[in-house]
């Protein structure tokens, strides 16, 4: 990417709402401070499943609806 690296792009995207889910894919730059899961190249297609599943599960948990306590009712508009 001309003008910035992936870490800078991640910082800029992190300032947005909602914050996007980011999977870093690297060929071995030696950084250990990346703010998210990292997949090291080279990798097989099967190696991609676990980190992507983890991101999707985290997103689902973040937006999952919670059950109301028994007896609690909503009187306002939804």
């Amino acid at each position: 990417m001309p003008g910035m690296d992936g870490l800078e792009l991640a910082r800029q995207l992190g300032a947005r709402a909602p914050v996007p889910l980011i999977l870093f894919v690297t060929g071995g730059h030696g950084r250990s401070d990346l703010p998210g899961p990292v997949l090291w190249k080279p990798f097989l297609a099967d190696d991609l499943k676990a980190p992507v599943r983890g991101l999707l599960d985290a997103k689902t948990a973040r937006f999952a609806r919670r059950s109301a306590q028994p007896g609690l009712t909503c009187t306002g508009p939804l």
Side-chain angles (χ1 to χ4, degrees):
M1 291 181 296
M4 76 174 76
D5 61 12
L7 188 55
E8 178 59 28
L9 176 61
R11 284 187 185 122
Q12 289 184 21
L13 291 173
R16 296 179 179 207
V19 176
L21 304 174
I22 299 172
L23 171 63
F24 290 90
V25 179
T26 182
H29 55 69
R31 296 192 67 130
S32 62
D33 61 340
L34 296 173
V38 179
L39 187 60
W40 295 88
K41 294 187 253 181
F43 58 89
L44 301 172
D46 283 346
D47 298 333
L48 189 59
K49 290 178 185 177
V52 170
R53 179 81 268 156
L55 286 171
L56 293 174
D57 289 346
K59 181 178 181 178
T60 301
R62 234 173 47 195
F63 295 108
R65 296 181 76 129
R66 303 287 187 247
S67 296
Q69 297 174 3
L72 186 64
T73 60
C74 178
T75 58
L78 294 177

